[in-house]
Amino acid sequence: MTSGNDDTGAPAGRLRATSVGEGVEIRVGTPSGELSLICTPARARELATALGLAADEAERAVSADPVTVRADELRRGDVRDGDRAMTVDSVRADGATTHITWKSGAGRSWNQLYDADARITLRRRGR
């Protein structure tokens, strides 16, 4: 993964994560230099989870009021309102039933069936 996007207008830094042997290298580059960290895959997953949860908190702080939609109107990336982050990974409508695959902030996935007209409250809409 490589990222160099910065919405602030300041020169963008670079963030890169790559596999190195049995570890994961995370490189952060800015105009003033570069930092390299190597960690275990488990630590990299912990970091990814922590970043995802922090991003959810930041978005929650500036997000609009929750919106309620029918189950058959859900789309990938929608985040359910509640105590824990639950993101729609996939949606499949089958007549009067909608099959939703959810993904947790920790990366776990599960499927749930809803009536197509069931109302689901979202923290934010996916893109």
Side-chain angles (χ1 to χ4, degrees), residues 38-123:
I38 297 178
C39 58
T40 65
R43 268 308 214 200
R45 285 186 191 92
E46 287 177 23
L47 176 60
T49 298
L51 287 169
L53 293 173
D56 285 343
E57 287 294 321
E59 287 177 340
R60 193 175 315 140
V62 297
S63 68
D65 293 328
V67 61
T68 301
V69 300
R70 289 171 43 112
D72 61 355
E73 295 173 347
L74 287 169
R75 58 186 183 226
R76 184 181 173 95
D78 285 345
V79 178
R80 188 167 188 166
D81 193 33
D83 305 3
R84 298 187 178 158
M86 292 172 46
T87 303
V88 174
D89 195 42
S90 68
V91 179
R92 183 174 56 89
D94 184 16
T97 305
T98 303
H99 303 258
I100 308 294
T101 301
W102 296 98
K103 193 165 209 168
S104 73
R108 292 191 260 327
S109 293
W110 65 96
N111 298 311
Q112 285 186 289
L113 302 177
Y114 296 91
D115 287 335
D117 61 353
R119 308 300 284 173
I120 309 288
T121 302
L122 302 175
R123 182 181 304 168

Side-chain angles (χ1 to χ4, degrees), residues 11-66:
R14 303 231 12 113
L15 174 63
R16 187 174 62 228
T18 56
S19 171
V20 289
E22 294 181 9
V24 176
E25 180 180 34
I26 303 162
R27 287 185 169 272
V28 180
T30 67
S32 62
E34 187 172 86
L35 172 66
S36 174
L37 305 167
I38 297 178
C39 58
T40 65
R43 268 308 214 200
R45 285 186 191 92
E46 287 177 23
L47 176 60
T49 298
L51 287 169
L53 293 173
D56 285 343
E57 287 294 321
E59 287 177 340
R60 193 175 315 140
V62 297
S63 68
D65 293 328

